[in-house]
Amino acid sequence: MRDLATGVGYLIKGQRWMAQHPRSWGFGMVPALITLVGYVAALIALGLWTDDAISWLTPFADDWGTPWLGLFRGALAVLFFGGCLLLALITFTAVTLLVGQPFYESLSERVDLSLDGHAPESGLPLWRELLIALRESTTVVIRVVLWGTLLFVAGFLPVIGQTAIPAIGFCIAGFFLTEELTAVALQRRRVPLAERLRLLRSRKLLVLGFGVPLTLLFLVPLAAVVVMPGAVAGATLLARDLLGEPTSQDPPASGDTALGTGIPGGPGPHGPDPMGPR
């Protein structure tokens, strides 16, 4: 249970870090806002066409009497839309990170610098990083689709389908949401997807403590836009924890005022702050 509380704590610390850096927060919301507009339009269209799609997929039920026809297709519509919403939650993060890749990577570096004055770098050109991120995100989305299909089928089970299955769905969404967010810091450390998944599975309560509350927040209109930058900052702390790196600021060294105060605005060992002065 301690790991669960720690995961929630990293989510809160990430938001607090961004609140102390409002300029970065504002820039970080732009990619999320652009992505959100597209997703809202797609979900509205999906909502308008769900009933027609379910009717087309279940022609065998056309002759069923009331109330069975309405109950059957209504349950399918809810499960179908819920599965699409689960997929949207995961892919929203992946797409937002791809759209805002340069910013979020710099943001993650700043969090690292504020802790110990060191920000690992992948050493890869931007196009290569984007290609790797796209490939690995596609792999994650495929896994989510498979899980979503399994949960969709399990949703037909009496009682369990309406109670336990939605809870399991939130846990799965939280796990993969955390994977996408920690990937920003872990890819800079050249940690491949298979190893990232192994690390996350080794600390499931830590991951769920971070990811499940974030999943619930993402269901609130516009909340995803506001919390996304802080989620990246918090995920960087979580990634450091998984690798055994310090997650709190080291005591300031003599004369090191910029990093010693926790403000990543000083030059540090990797040159000037990539986000520029605040």
Side-chain angles (χ1 to χ4, degrees):
M1 296 303 292
R2 183 178 180 180
D3 264 359
L4 196 66
T6 302
V8 176
Y10 287 146
L11 180 59
I12 295 172
K13 288 178 181 178
Q15 302 304 321
R16 186 184 303 155
W17 196 94
M18 291 309 305
Q20 296 168 353
H21 303 79
R23 182 181 176 186
S24 297
W25 199 348
F27 281 117
M29 288 192 290
V30 173
L33 183 60
I34 294 172
T35 307
L36 180 66
V37 171
Y39 269 71
V40 167
L43 286 174
I44 290 175
L46 181 65
L48 293 175
W49 290 96
T50 292
D51 289 342
D52 292 336
I54 294 298
S55 297
W56 178 76
L57 290 170
T58 57
F60 57 86
D62 288 342
D63 297 330
W64 290 13
T66 55
W68 308 115
L69 176 61
L71 290 174
F72 175 70
R73 285 181 171 169
L76 281 181
V78 171
L79 289 171
F80 175 73
F81 190 81
C84 292
L85 188 60
L86 171 65
L87 182 62
L89 287 172
I90 304 300
T91 58
F92 173 85
T93 303
V95 172
T96 301
L97 292 176
L98 285 173
V99 171
Q101 167 74 14
F103 170 83
Y104 291 126
E105 186 169 305
S106 294
L107 169 59
S108 180
E109 288 178 355
R110 292 186 68 186
V111 175
D112 280 327
L113 286 170
S114 70
L115 295 174
D116 57 13
H118 175 65
E121 298 178 358
S122 67
L124 299 174
L126 178 60
W127 70 267
R128 182 78 180 277
E129 290 183 346
L130 289 173
L131 186 61
I132 293 173
L134 179 60
R135 184 184 67 235
E136 293 183 339
S137 293
T138 302
T139 301
V140 170
V141 169
I142 291 173
R143 290 171 182 253
V144 172
V145 170
L146 293 175
W147 273 107
T149 303
L150 181 61
L151 294 176
F152 178 78
V153 174
F156 290 101
L157 297 174
V159 183
I160 296 178
Q162 295 73 47
T163 53
I165 297 304
I168 293 173
F170 277 112
C171 290
I172 292 173
F175 179 89
F176 284 110
L177 191 60
T178 304
E179 192 288 318
E180 289 287 348
L181 289 165
T182 53
V184 178
L186 294 176
Q187 283 175 346
R188 287 193 291 106
R189 292 162 167 82
R190 304 293 290 270
V191 180
L193 176 60
E195 179 64 15
R196 295 203 303 268
L197 292 173
R198 188 196 66 78
L199 286 170
L200 294 171
R201 292 191 192 103
S202 70
R203 304 281 298 279
K204 291 186 182 69
L205 288 180
L206 177 69
V207 171
L208 294 180
F210 182 89
V212 173
L214 187 60
T215 300
L216 295 173
L217 280 173
F218 274 20
L219 293 176
V220 179
L222 296 180
V225 175
V226 177
V227 304
M228 187 66 178
V232 174
T236 301
L237 297 175
L238 192 149
R240 292 176 66 93
D241 190 333
L242 290 174
L243 296 173
E245 299 176 8
T247 57
S248 59
Q249 186 184 343
D250 294 334
S254 176
D256 189 4
T257 56
L259 292 175
T261 56
I263 302 175
H270 291 278
D273 182 358
M275 295 301 296
R278 289 184 301 280

